[in-house]
């Protein structure tokens, strides 16, 4: 069955640094009209980075929307026109100070398809080595944490890891 | 380490049906000021619903932000003041026409903590029986699909399931 919704009108609500917001008038499959609130996001990458066979790097970062620090795998937003793999390499080095000799693309997920077009592209990075550049974005404050692969299930079970992209990547990598 | 960001100012950008958008001026841990774009969302639920031991129900739904139909587990937005469990029961019946005798809360995930406060509460529903009410929201168009549990890994691997909340719930339920 085809449930395509045709866009009849689109209104710009907000153009920001990270997101744009639109409201669309759409034609539903039954011919009626409805409104769709849509957040546009450039998309992002997230990386399972192995320190060694038994440990991965995670970052603890304050997230203003939920007003708390959470554990996530290294991740970040794709810059306009940036290649996803280049973005993954850049974010890995910015966030934990490492480059990787071996990269594997694992797949993509959509985080909130009801109102947002954000895709996250998931990578695995192995054979890490220290990058030359300094760490971090100027305005990014993060703690780097080494997490044992065989403790991940327990961390998720106890609600210590709640970040969806991280859990998806861990599941794809079969370490959760 | 404490990376708390104090809100100095908050400006309302948009108040919608599904989302509100705010821009906050915050004080960073280094004393500098920055801007945070924040999407407020009431949160949602998602349900792994077992038809029997070997199959779960999924729904195929057109998602306007990504302009395509995707496979998701039954899910929906929490109404203002609504109990999460009640929401899960309501959405299950609205989307697939079933009630469940056995409910298990599996945990919560945050979908896009960089710019959005949406939490999804994940449930498992077993011992299903037909509800009395009709199916569906008036403006919701969905196909109900029965998916074999032992085919889930392949569906994710092939990119046929890309919805983050669904993958997280499948991982928590160990069927992925």
């Amino acid at each position: 069955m085809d449930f395509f919704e045709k866009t009849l009108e689109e209104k710009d609500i907000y153009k920001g640094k990270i997101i744009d917001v639109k409201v669309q008038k759409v034609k539903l499959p039954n011919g009626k009209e409805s409104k769709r609130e849509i957040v546009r996001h450039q998309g992002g990458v997230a990386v399972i980075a192995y320190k060694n066979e038994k440990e991965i790097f995670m970052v603890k970062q304050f997230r203003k929307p939920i007003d708390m620090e959470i554990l996530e795998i290294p991740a970040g937003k794709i810059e306009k026109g940036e290649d996803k793999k280049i973005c993954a390499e850049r974010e890995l080095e910015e966030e934990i100070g490492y480059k990787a000799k071996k990269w594997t693309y694992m797949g993509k997920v959509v985080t909130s398809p009801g109102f947002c077009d954000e895709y996250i592209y998931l990578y695995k990075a192995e054979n890490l080595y220290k990058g030359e550049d300094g760490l971090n974005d100027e305005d990014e404050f993060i703690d780097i944490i080494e997490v044992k692969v065989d403790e991940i299930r327990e961390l998720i079970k106890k609600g210590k890891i709640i970040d969806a992209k991280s859990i998806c990547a861990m599941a794809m990598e079969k370490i959760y």
Side-chain angles (χ1 to χ4, degrees), chain A:
Chain A
M1 216 181 295
D2 189 359
F3 296 141
F4 185 75
E5 298 173 1
K6 193 182 168 198
T7 309
L8 302 174
E9 256 180 55
E10 182 175 271
K11 208 172 101 185
D12 286 329
I13 300 292
Y14 176 70
K15 282 185 181 290
K17 202 180 143 196
I18 309 291
I19 56 168
D20 294 341
V21 181
K22 321 260 183 192
V23 172
Q24 294 184 340
K25 192 161 89 177
V26 300
K27 191 170 183 177
L28 299 177
N30 62 3
K32 284 169 59 176
E33 291 181 5
S34 190
K35 214 180 73 171
R36 296 282 176 242
E37 300 164 0
I38 296 179
V39 176
R40 297 255 177 249
H41 185 284
Q42 200 66 36
V45 300
V47 184
I48 297 271
Y50 282 93
K51 187 191 174 193
N52 53 51
E53 278 181 14
K54 291 181 177 167
E55 286 168 297
I56 62 167
F57 286 106
M58 294 191 75
V59 297
K60 201 173 184 182
Q61 187 170 7
F62 183 78
R63 292 302 202 170
K64 190 60 190 163
I66 53 172
D67 263 321
M68 59 184 278
E69 285 178 6
I70 60 171
L71 270 179
E72 302 175 35
I73 59 174
K77 186 173 162 276
I78 299 168
E79 302 296 338
K80 217 164 211 163
E82 188 179 35
D83 176 82
K84 300 164 187 64
K85 165 83 181 309
I86 303 282
C87 174
E89 291 172 350
R90 178 177 58 71
E91 288 290 348
L92 190 69
E93 189 164 7
E94 278 179 16
E95 292 205 343
I96 68 164
Y98 281 91
K99 291 173 180 288
K101 283 183 192 145
K102 188 177 170 195
W103 285 89
T104 312
Y105 174 64
M106 298 197 293
K108 68 179 175 187
V109 294
V110 61
T111 50
S112 287
F115 63 91
C116 181
D117 69 350
E118 181 191 44
Y119 282 98
I120 305 273
Y121 302 89
L122 304 172
Y123 287 89
K124 168 165 63 165
E126 295 167 287
N127 304 341
L128 303 194
Y129 61 100
K130 281 271 176 198
E132 288 142 41
D133 299 339
L135 279 175
N136 296 2
D137 263 1
E138 199 184 56
D139 286 349
E140 204 167 42
F141 302 89
I142 57 178
D143 272 343
I144 301 165
I145 315 260
E146 292 151 23
V147 175
K148 289 197 175 63
V149 165
D150 62 13
E151 286 172 4
I152 284 171
R153 180 161 289 279
E154 200 59 20
L155 287 168
I156 294 172
K157 224 173 168 178
K158 285 186 178 159
K160 305 285 184 192
I161 300 173
I162 58 169
D163 178 53
K165 65 180 171 303
S166 301
I167 295 172
C168 287
M170 289 160 173
M172 287 186 184
E173 182 50 11
K174 298 183 196 174
I175 55 177
Y176 172 53

